[in-house]
Amino acid sequence: MEQRTDLALEVRESFPEDDVELSGVILSERQIEDANIKVSTVEIKDDKGAKQMGKPKGMYITVEAKKYLDNSQREEELLVRELAKLIKELCDNACHGKKILVAGLGNREVTADSIGPKVIEKLFVTRHLIQEFGKDFQKKHGFEMVSAIAPGVMAQTGMESFEILSGIAKETKAEQLILIDALAARSTERLNTTIQLTDTGICPGAGVGNQRKALNEETLGLKVLAIGVPTVVDAATIVRDTMDSVLAGQGFSEEEQMELHKEIRQESTKNMFVTPKNIDESIDRMSNILADALNLCFVP
């Protein structure tokens, strides 16, 4: 059964730890001292690992901060600083002295898909200031050259994000593209509390079955960092998790469980996605955290 997830960590977790066939994939984990923040890194090193994972080669860093919603300002500050550090590392220091374009993907009219545009609203852009006041102004204040765009979705513009961003990147001579987008998760516990950073780019809409042209270094010709937050989960996943324990307890075989899952998915949960009831609050707070982390990278 296909279980949709954009998180490389969840794909890796679906394999047994001792699966010798999963070569070329390295998983490492660490806990940030004195904070409820866990950082997991999945590195796909070769084509074999990419084929087994169903994802491109590269680095996938997942930051889980399930307790930050407890209104702990200290933990939120730690999360912002950790994200800023990871962004700089994945950009390979391209954030310094380079022309940066930040794109907030998604539909601002749909709450669960609005995190990208909301981050752009809170971002401190500097390109126009540097062009107006010159390099001395930039050096004096320590600004990086940042421009930003929320390209919307095809239903709003009639254009793919690739078409819009490739044109903007060419005109602004951008050297580093940073994408912000909503993702789909396998686990409901990871909704709105998890952040994935990857240097492999992104396929807009892939998590909910809307395949668009990939945004990555190969298609755009510049470095791409994608930052995503899972905001929805496939309804079939919730149904399956709930029913598994019930069916197993009643003595159903694995084959019988699979057949029932397939029937339910086809009849009742096809193309349905679920998001928490406090999605508005969660999106606002997570967009603040991402914007603060990006601003920390660009502005002293």
Side-chain angles (χ1 to χ4, degrees), residues 115-165:
I115 190 166
K118 283 185 177 293
V119 170
I120 297 303
E121 292 173 2
K122 302 162 186 174
L123 200 64
F124 186 68
V125 293
T126 59
R127 181 173 181 265
H128 61 302
L129 297 175
I130 295 170
Q131 287 184 325
E132 178 72 20
F133 300 108
K135 292 290 185 179
D136 290 339
F137 171 85
Q138 179 183 12
K139 185 176 180 180
K140 176 182 177 182
H141 294 280
F143 293 159
E144 303 297 343
M145 183 175 283
V146 181
S147 54
I149 184 70
V153 294
M154 184 178 283
Q156 296 169 324
T157 66
M159 297 177 284
E160 284 201 31
S161 297
F162 168 80
E163 295 173 312
I164 298 172
L165 294 179

Side-chain angles (χ1 to χ4, degrees), residues 7 210 260 298:
L7 300 178
N210 297 328
L260 184 56
F298 306 145

Side-chain angles (χ1 to χ4, degrees), residues 32-274:
I32 297 180
E33 189 176 353
D34 299 326
N36 292 305
I37 300 171
K38 180 182 178 183
V39 180
S40 305
T41 301
V42 176
E43 182 179 5
I44 303 178
K45 298 182 69 67
D46 55 32
D47 292 335
K48 185 176 181 180
K51 183 178 180 180
Q52 293 178 102
M53 289 283 290
K55 291 186 175 295
K57 292 184 291 183
M59 298 288 292
Y60 300 82
I61 300 176
T62 304
V63 181
E64 297 177 83
K66 297 178 182 179
K67 299 295 183 181
Y68 88 94
L69 290 175
D70 293 341
N71 294 317
S72 170
Q73 183 176 356
R74 177 180 173 278
E75 287 186 358
E76 191 168 309
E77 291 173 352
L78 288 172
L79 177 58
V80 168
R81 289 202 295 268
E82 180 66 20
L83 286 173
K85 175 185 173 184
L86 292 172
I87 290 169
K88 290 180 180 179
E89 290 176 354
L90 277 178
C91 286
D92 195 24
N93 294 321
C95 289
H96 181 62
K98 304 292 184 181
K99 297 175 183 177
I100 303 160
L101 172 62
V102 184
L105 306 179
N107 187 344
R108 69 172 71 245
E109 304 300 328
V110 179
T111 304
D113 196 33
S114 65
I115 190 166
K118 283 185 177 293
V119 170
I120 297 303
E121 292 173 2
K122 302 162 186 174
L123 200 64
F124 186 68
V125 293
T126 59
R127 181 173 181 265
H128 61 302
L129 297 175
I130 295 170
Q131 287 184 325
E132 178 72 20
F133 300 108
K135 292 290 185 179
D136 290 339
F137 171 85
Q138 179 183 12
K139 185 176 180 180
K140 176 182 177 182
H141 294 280
F143 293 159
E144 303 297 343
M145 183 175 283
V146 181
S147 54
I149 184 70
V153 294
M154 184 178 283
Q156 296 169 324
T157 66
M159 297 177 284
E160 284 201 31
S161 297
F162 168 80
E163 295 173 312
I164 298 172
L165 294 179
S166 60
I168 293 174
K170 181 179 179 181
E171 289 299 318
T172 62
K173 297 180 173 57
E175 297 167 282
Q176 173 73 54
L177 174 62
I178 299 178
L179 304 170
I180 316 292
D181 199 10
L183 307 177
R186 163 70 178 80
S187 167
T188 56
E189 293 183 355
R190 288 193 166 110
L191 295 182
N192 303 313
T193 63
T194 302
I195 301 164
Q196 177 177 268
L197 304 93
T198 177
D199 59 3
T200 63
I202 199 169
C203 289
V208 293
N210 297 328
Q211 291 284 354
R212 298 287 182 253
K213 189 166 184 178
L215 302 171
N216 53 38
E217 185 174 0
E218 182 179 354
T219 60
L220 291 168
L222 73 161
K223 296 289 185 180
V224 178
L225 167 65
I227 304 173
V229 177
T231 61
V232 297
V233 63
D234 192 350
T237 296
I238 300 176
V239 173
R240 177 172 181 163
D241 288 349
T242 303
M243 293 187 63
D244 275 346
S245 57
V246 177
L247 294 175
Q250 294 181 354
F252 283 80
S253 67
E254 288 190 12
E255 290 77 11
E256 291 172 324
Q257 292 180 44
M258 288 295 295
E259 287 301 318
L260 184 56
H261 286 313
K262 289 179 182 178
E263 183 177 345
I264 291 174
R265 184 177 180 86
Q266 292 172 356
E267 298 297 329
S268 306
T269 60
K270 186 177 181 181
N271 294 326
M272 291 182 64
F273 293 85
V274 181

